[in-house]
Amino acid sequence: MDIGSVWPWAAFLLFVATMLVVDLKVLHRDAHEVSRREALIWTGIVVTSAIIFNIGVFVFRGTDDGIAWATGYVIEQSLSVDNVFVFLLLFSSFAVPAAYQHRVLFWGIIGALIMRGILIAFAGVLINTLHWVIYIFGAFLIYTGFRFLTEKETHVPSIETNRMVRLARRFFPVTETYEGQNLFVRKAGVLMMTPLMVVLILIESTDLVFAVDSIPAIYAVTNDPFIVFTSNIFAILGLRSLYFVMSGYLANLRYLKQGLAVILAFVGSKMILSDVIHVHPLVSLAVIVSILAIATLASIMYARRNPTALQMETEMEQKVHPPHPFPQNQA
């Protein structure tokens, strides 16, 4: 690998590291509840950075790569909304104080960046060495879209059944209450996990599931590792602030999941037919944006016509996912 191919990766990773340091050490040094205005500003910074980066791809790598990057970013950003809904359910189900939610999501994003990098590299190797894997990925995306359509509700991961949590609790006992924004505390000489760390483990495990769904989708657009990785990471960087912006509006997006299901089915079909039909990246981008626009407009129209029904659905969701007490430590 020559210097010319190394410096874009190095520059991008340096940018990501800088964003994370500024976020944790400057903007959120002290635990506080993130306001919607603060989240909107950070979301604007991340999205603006993504647009500037996309322009750079257009300038230095050409129109096709620029469109592929934009399409991949839109796909990952739209699919990440489902992550946001799970975050909302987790925080409400385990009664995580609002002041500590940012810290959990920050470390969750760090873990997601690492996992996505590993999975993207692994998927790229598979596709490049075993071309038939692309058909499996396509079929999996279509199945995932069907699952989105038939799924009645979003399930909150259980402490008792989650394997990562059960493994962690074999090595560390769990405190009965939150200990500020600490993930670990030492009591009577014993290092213990706090409930905040347990929620973080649940977030990481659910992100792993979402990554398995979303990464094959972007490989339907391009198999260029730089485009796949950078567009995916930009979507992840904005995920935390997106949660704080959208947490109050998610109940109104009634048809979003159906829209995501259609996107996954479209992308999966595109992968399966890749050797027969070549869909131009600009066409893919237009289709995906159109589906999202239709789902959003349909949701807005439904919310305006049925405000009482939405309120009843929200109350029902709260009954289905009441605050979850943390289990006592097992001997």
Side-chain angles (χ1 to χ4, degrees), residues 32-275:
H32 66 277
E33 182 176 353
V34 178
S35 66
R36 182 157 291 158
R37 178 177 179 275
E38 183 181 352
L40 280 169
I41 291 173
W42 188 250
T43 300
I45 291 173
V46 175
V47 172
T48 302
S49 300
I51 293 173
I52 293 173
F53 189 90
N54 194 193
I55 293 172
V57 175
F58 272 103
V59 172
F60 291 103
R61 303 194 59 168
T63 301
D64 286 347
D65 281 354
I67 295 174
W69 196 97
T71 305
Y73 177 70
V74 171
I75 290 174
E76 295 301 323
Q77 194 70 70
S78 59
L79 291 176
S80 68
V81 174
D82 217 41
N83 293 50
V84 173
F85 191 70
V86 172
F87 294 164
L88 179 63
L89 292 180
L90 276 171
F91 287 149
S92 61
S93 295
F94 297 106
V96 179
Y100 306 148
Q101 291 178 7
H102 176 274
R103 183 57 58 98
V104 177
L105 291 179
F106 176 87
W107 291 113
I109 296 303
I110 295 291
L113 292 175
I114 296 172
M115 283 193 296
R116 295 295 175 101
I118 294 172
L119 289 175
I120 286 171
F122 180 68
V125 170
L126 281 179
I127 290 176
N128 289 329
T129 57
L130 301 171
H131 179 70
W132 53 267
V133 171
I134 196 171
Y135 305 125
I136 297 178
F137 283 174
F140 179 74
L141 290 176
I142 294 174
Y143 165 75
T144 303
F146 177 76
R147 192 186 69 202
F148 272 24
L149 285 177
T150 57
E151 201 173 51
K152 296 292 185 181
E153 62 184 58
T154 303
H155 298 284
V156 177
S158 169
I159 291 178
E160 294 295 347
T161 59
N162 187 278
R163 293 182 179 180
M164 293 176 64
V165 173
R166 292 173 65 182
L167 178 62
R169 291 181 64 218
R170 290 184 180 181
F171 298 95
F172 300 100
V174 181
T175 61
E176 295 183 1
T177 60
Y178 290 102
E179 302 287 338
Q181 61 180 345
N182 295 312
L183 301 177
F184 289 91
V185 293
R186 189 175 294 276
K187 291 189 174 184
V190 177
L191 185 62
M192 305 179 70
M193 287 193 308
T194 69
L196 214 59
M197 183 63 192
V198 176
V199 175
L200 174 58
I201 294 173
L202 291 172
I203 285 178
E204 295 289 14
S205 62
T206 54
D207 182 74
L208 179 60
V209 175
F210 282 118
V212 172
D213 289 342
S214 66
I215 288 175
I218 196 170
Y219 271 108
V221 178
T222 178
N223 59 0
D224 185 311
F226 185 73
I227 294 177
V228 172
F229 180 75
T230 53
S231 60
N232 202 289
I233 298 309
F234 260 112
I236 292 297
L237 281 177
L239 183 58
R240 181 186 58 258
S241 55
L242 185 66
Y243 161 76
F244 291 108
V245 171
M246 296 191 65
S247 58
Y249 301 122
L250 283 175
N252 294 328
L253 298 178
R254 178 183 178 84
Y255 298 112
L256 178 63
K257 189 174 282 287
Q258 288 87 339
L260 296 180
V262 176
I263 289 174
L264 288 174
F266 167 72
V267 173
S269 301
K270 185 169 175 280
M271 295 185 84
I272 291 176
L273 300 174
S274 59
D275 291 335

